[in-house]
Amino acid sequence: MSRRKELSEEELKIIKKKLSDEEAFEKFFKNCYLRNLRPATIQYYKNEFHAAKKYNHKELVNFNQGDIENLILESKKHMKVTTINTRLRALRSFFNYLLKNKLIEENPMRNIKLLRDRQKAIETLDNDEIEALIKTIRKLKTFVGFRDEVILLVFIDTGIRLSELVGIEVADIRGNHIIIRKTKNLFERTVYLSDITQEQLDRYLQIRGELDTDKAFISHDNNELNPHSIQTRFTKYGKEAKISKRVSPHTFRHTMAKRMIVAGIDAFSLMALLGHSDMTITKKYVNLWGAEIEDKHKKFGALRGLKL
């Protein structure tokens, strides 16, 4: 038998050193750290990779398109479309990295698209609901109650995220504006306060006093705030105020966006205030509530009242 001919594909696979998940993860996460991704993003990747492996006894690096398709089909039995898409995005980042660095020969995600999902209406709070929340919180007459009132005003006035609010330090508050440092995209930005928010924030800081922590918003025992506890408290306030909508920091963010759009803000300014990395989400807001701007123009148009 002659041994001079080229090795077959199967024989070449035997010779080629196989990449293990452990080796792939080490390289992938090293790249994540070098890119200075947020700890939350890195943990998200770890969680999704671990969950994906549960659907198959194979290592992730050995997944093919069929394995991804089976994962989707199994996931659809007990998971929401948004959750599945979240997992697919993580896998796409992983396999794109491996292919780009020639650690795998084929990308199993190459022909996989995100699942289509129905666009849900974005809930926002109207004037009556915001006022009902304030009244509910003011019934407490406690430090935590006043703190939560100020937090609500800051949320709706600025549209900042919960993680951004928790990261605000006393030195970041400068009169009628706040420097937001703990941002999702790592770019600092400035948000601005209306007179009433500035006044209430000044009062809150007086009551807060001088403490060991630099964080502006603190718990009842003078420690840093737990983001989950803030979410829980506003959910509770919403129920007490008999508001049927979801009451959360993200609802306040949507509410701020809508109120600014209806008032006539341009998309680029809103994008800067909200800290969006690109215009995609901002455009979505404008498209959703643009009709209300049109109604406002009809009512308050600059040419109304002129006899031309």
Side-chain angles (χ1 to χ4, degrees):
M1 177 180 172
S2 174
R3 295 285 184 175
R4 296 191 177 186
K5 64 178 183 179
E6 291 185 1
L7 295 174
S8 66
E9 289 293 327
E10 291 301 317
E11 289 170 329
L12 287 171
K13 287 180 181 178
I14 294 172
I15 295 174
K16 186 175 181 180
K17 182 180 182 291
K18 290 186 177 180
L19 180 74
S20 69
D21 274 357
E22 185 178 352
E23 292 169 323
F25 292 157
E26 183 181 352
K27 293 177 183 295
F28 176 80
F29 287 116
K30 179 181 179 181
N31 179 258
C32 290
Y33 289 119
L34 289 172
R35 291 161 54 203
N36 200 30
L37 296 188
R38 295 187 307 149
T41 302
I42 293 173
Q43 189 59 50
Y44 148 67
Y45 283 136
K46 290 180 178 179
N47 293 343
E48 296 304 333
F49 297 162
H50 176 73
K53 289 189 69 168
K54 285 185 176 181
Y55 286 91
N56 199 314
H57 296 300
K58 295 167 64 174
E59 294 211 316
L60 274 187
V61 291
N62 295 326
F63 269 37
N64 56 40
Q65 182 173 321
D67 295 322
I68 302 293
E69 290 171 348
N70 288 334
L71 185 150
I72 293 172
L73 292 173
E74 285 297 314
S75 300
K76 286 181 70 175
K77 295 177 182 178
H78 55 85
M79 287 168 60
K80 295 179 179 179
V81 169
T82 52
T83 308
I84 298 172
N85 283 340
T86 297
R87 184 152 302 158
L88 292 178
R89 288 188 183 95
L91 292 174
R92 178 178 289 170
S93 295
F94 178 62
F95 288 117
N96 282 347
Y97 169 80
L98 296 184
L99 186 69
K100 181 180 178 181
N101 289 274
K102 299 180 180 179
L103 298 171
I104 56 174
E105 294 180 359
E106 292 186 17
N107 186 344
M109 290 291 296
R110 184 167 65 92
N111 297 317
I112 302 293
K113 290 182 168 55
L114 298 182
L115 278 60
R116 293 182 63 183
D117 193 13
R118 293 181 180 178
Q119 291 295 324
K120 297 177 182 176
I122 296 179
E123 288 188 326
T124 60
L125 303 179
D126 59 29
N127 288 0
D128 291 340
E129 290 165 333
I130 295 171
E131 290 169 3
L133 267 180
I134 293 288
K135 289 178 182 176
T136 298
I137 296 171
R138 282 180 176 171
K139 290 178 184 177
L140 293 176
K141 301 187 185 305
T142 61
F143 169 78
V144 169
F146 185 60
R147 177 205 68 191
D148 290 350
E149 175 187 336
V150 175
I151 285 176
L152 173 60
L153 291 174
V154 171
F155 271 139
I156 294 182
D157 214 1
T158 66
I160 60 175
R161 302 176 178 91
L162 176 56
S163 59
E164 294 172 339
L165 177 123
V166 171
I168 295 173
E169 297 186 355
V170 174
D172 298 329
I173 301 170
R174 306 176 183 182
N176 71 336
H177 63 278
I178 303 175
I179 308 299
I180 305 299
R181 303 185 190 280
K182 190 178 178 181
T183 64
K184 189 174 181 179
N185 57 15
L186 303 181
F187 289 106
E188 291 185 7
R189 72 181 190 280
T190 301
V191 295
Y192 301 90
L193 307 174
S194 59
D195 290 343
I196 186 171
T197 302
Q198 184 182 348
E199 290 169 5
Q200 292 295 78
L201 183 54
D202 287 343
R203 294 185 180 109
Y204 164 78
L205 291 175
Q206 289 180 42
I207 295 172
R208 174 192 178 280
E210 296 291 331
L211 300 170
D212 291 336
T213 178
D214 293 326
K215 292 292 187 290
F217 295 103
I218 55 170
S219 63
H220 68 280
D221 51 4
N222 296 333
N223 291 321
E224 293 184 16
L225 280 183
N226 181 328
H228 179 69
S229 68
I230 293 297
Q231 173 65 72
T232 302
R233 291 188 67 81
F234 278 109
T235 299
K236 176 173 169 287
Y237 293 142
K239 290 178 180 177
E240 291 177 4
K242 294 181 169 43
I243 297 173
S244 59
K245 300 172 186 173
R246 183 168 184 256
V247 175
S248 71
H250 221 62
T251 306
F252 304 147
R253 184 170 166 83
H254 292 155
T255 300
M256 175 271 195
K258 179 177 181 179
R259 294 174 75 87
M260 295 291 277
I261 289 169
V262 171
I265 192 171
D266 65 277
F268 288 103
S269 297
L270 181 61
M271 175 182 170
L273 289 174
L274 291 175
H276 288 156
S277 298
D278 58 59
M279 189 63 75
T280 307
I281 301 298
T282 318
K283 282 182 179 178
K284 183 179 178 181
Y285 287 156
V286 173
N287 290 338
L288 273 172
W289 300 308
E292 298 190 38
I293 297 176
E294 182 180 351
D295 293 340
K296 201 176 184 72
H297 182 270
K298 288 178 181 177
K299 185 175 181 180
F300 302 108
L303 295 182
R304 283 182 62 82
L306 294 177
K307 298 178 180 178
L308 302 176

